[in-house]
Amino acid sequence: MYDIESVIVASTVDEAIEELVKNPKAEVISGGTDVLIKIREGKMAGCHLVNISNIPELKGIEMDSDGTIIIKAATVFSHITNDDIIKQYIPNLGDAVDQVGGPQIRNMGTIGGNVCNGVTSADSASTLCVLDAKMELKGPEGTRIIPITEWYQGAGKTVRKQNEILTAIRIEKENYEGYHGRYIKYGKRKAMEIATLGCSVMTKLTPDKKAIEKLKIGYGVAGPVPMRCVEAEQMARGKTVSRELLDCICENVLKEVHPRSSWRASKEFRLQLVEEMLRRAFEETVIAGGGNIDV
């Protein structure tokens, strides 16, 4: 049973914003894979919805002349995975969203909804963190750009205001060029499972392929919000690739994460996953970049 008071189908972003301003209790719906579950569970009983799923300006992926990749917020997961720009420049994001739910969910769910939901288990979140994505919001006061490091405000909370629409996710060239990335998800099942832990790593090697020029490490479900392990990243810069370096990175990461116990997994098990998944992802990105961790 879906207790919905009203649904307005907007044809433009400005129309959607206007409807949200008219009704301060209205909520945005696009793919509906998260919102409809909440309604069915009674968490949004009697809600007013503004449907943005038919707005053309919110769909698609393009690249600016400066190399910035722009992912429109209502683009569904399956389109992201199969897009030529994504496959060529940031395939790790395509791989991450390809692990969301099953085929039906990936054909309906949108990347905008995935991040606006604010949950730490969102499969796109940790990879968007290591890509240093910027979130483009439009509201009655105009457009603002929010770094993803400032996007999450707590469990299930983001900086988006009720009367704002997330219009796009922007990824600048400097944050993907020269990197190789890998996202690894652990769940109790191989498919259609919410992440028990997600780990995303991006590695940029020096020109001689022997040392770390830059390293980015992101996690989902290692804390109340998706997070980066900045201290471990900084420690690794300029260091020669080796097993010893990886041991040091893992040691530092374990000091930065803050997983908790839940019905899905204990804190201790998540800490084990934090280290093991980092080791696998780091090694894979080094090899993909032409390096050798066993030298």
Side-chain angles (χ1 to χ4, degrees):
M1 179 66 182
Y2 295 96
D3 186 358
I4 301 171
E5 185 69 22
S6 66
V7 179
I8 300 294
V9 180
S11 57
T12 67
V13 171
D14 288 340
E15 182 183 340
I17 293 169
E18 183 181 342
E19 293 297 334
L20 291 172
V21 172
K22 284 181 184 177
N23 188 346
K25 293 184 178 181
E27 299 284 348
V28 175
I29 185 171
S30 185
T33 56
D34 289 322
V35 171
L36 291 176
I37 290 173
K38 292 179 181 178
I39 295 172
R40 186 165 185 173
E41 291 176 345
K43 296 177 181 178
M44 295 171 59
C47 61
H48 299 266
L49 301 177
V50 177
N51 189 331
I52 62 170
S53 63
N54 292 326
I55 301 178
E57 62 191 289
L58 291 180
K59 296 183 180 182
I61 298 166
E62 58 191 45
M63 179 180 285
D64 267 357
S65 58
D66 64 358
T68 298
I69 297 172
I70 302 169
I71 305 172
K72 304 298 181 65
T75 307
V76 299
F77 300 122
S78 58
H79 289 180
I80 293 171
T81 300
N82 293 302
D83 183 82
D84 289 338
I85 292 174
I86 300 295
K87 288 192 287 186
Q88 181 174 350
Y89 296 102
I90 48 174
N92 50 323
L93 179 60
D95 291 342
V97 300
D98 200 41
Q99 297 184 51
V100 177
Q104 298 93 334
I105 296 295
R106 294 193 291 272
N107 284 329
M108 292 181 62
T110 65
I111 193 165
N114 206 222
V115 293
C116 287
N117 201 23
V119 297
T120 185
S121 59
D123 286 303
S124 67
S126 57
T127 299
L128 289 173
C129 283
V130 296
L131 285 165
D132 291 294
K134 293 182 178 179
M135 323 301 278
E136 183 180 286
L137 287 165
K138 187 174 182 181
E141 299 175 358
T143 300
R144 59 183 181 133
I145 306 294
I146 307 295
I148 197 165
T149 51
E150 301 172 13
W151 177 257
Y152 295 95
Q153 299 293 292
K157 297 179 181 179
T158 72
V159 299
R160 185 185 75 85
K161 298 176 183 178
Q162 176 271 341
N163 58 15
E164 289 182 311
I165 301 289
L166 177 67
T167 54
I169 298 171
R170 307 176 70 90
I171 301 167
E172 296 173 353
K173 186 177 182 179
E174 65 185 71
N175 293 317
Y176 65 80
E177 187 175 50
Y179 286 92
H180 289 82
R182 178 76 166 95
Y183 173 72
I184 298 177
K185 171 182 179 177
Y186 178 88
K188 292 184 178 181
R189 299 181 301 180
K190 289 185 177 181
M192 299 182 69
E193 174 70 353
I194 295 174
T196 300
L197 193 90
C199 173
S200 194
V201 173
M202 291 185 71
T203 304
K204 187 176 185 179
L205 299 178
T206 53
D208 63 6
K209 310 299 183 183
K210 294 182 179 180
I212 302 295
E213 183 174 323
K214 289 185 179 179
L215 175 66
K216 301 179 184 181
I217 304 168
Y219 283 101
V221 208
V225 299
M227 63 176 294
R228 285 274 293 275
C229 295
V230 179
E231 292 182 14
E233 295 173 0
Q234 293 175 344
M235 180 277 299
R237 285 190 180 186
K239 302 288 177 54
T240 300
V241 175
S242 66
R243 295 286 176 187
E244 290 74 19
L245 173 62
L246 180 52
D247 290 341
C248 290
I249 295 171
C250 289
E251 183 179 341
N252 279 268
V253 162
L254 289 171
K255 295 176 183 177
E256 295 187 64
V257 297
H258 304 286
R260 65 180 180 86
S261 294
S262 71
W263 67 270
R264 293 184 184 279
S266 66
K267 173 183 177 180
E268 292 74 18
F269 182 54
R270 283 197 168 100
L271 286 171
Q272 182 181 345
L273 290 174
V274 163
E275 180 174 355
E276 180 59 31
M277 292 165 72
L278 172 58
R279 288 184 180 277
R280 295 182 187 182
F282 178 79
E283 183 169 354
E284 290 183 28
T285 58
V286 166
I287 292 171
N292 188 345
I293 197 169
D294 293 312
V295 172

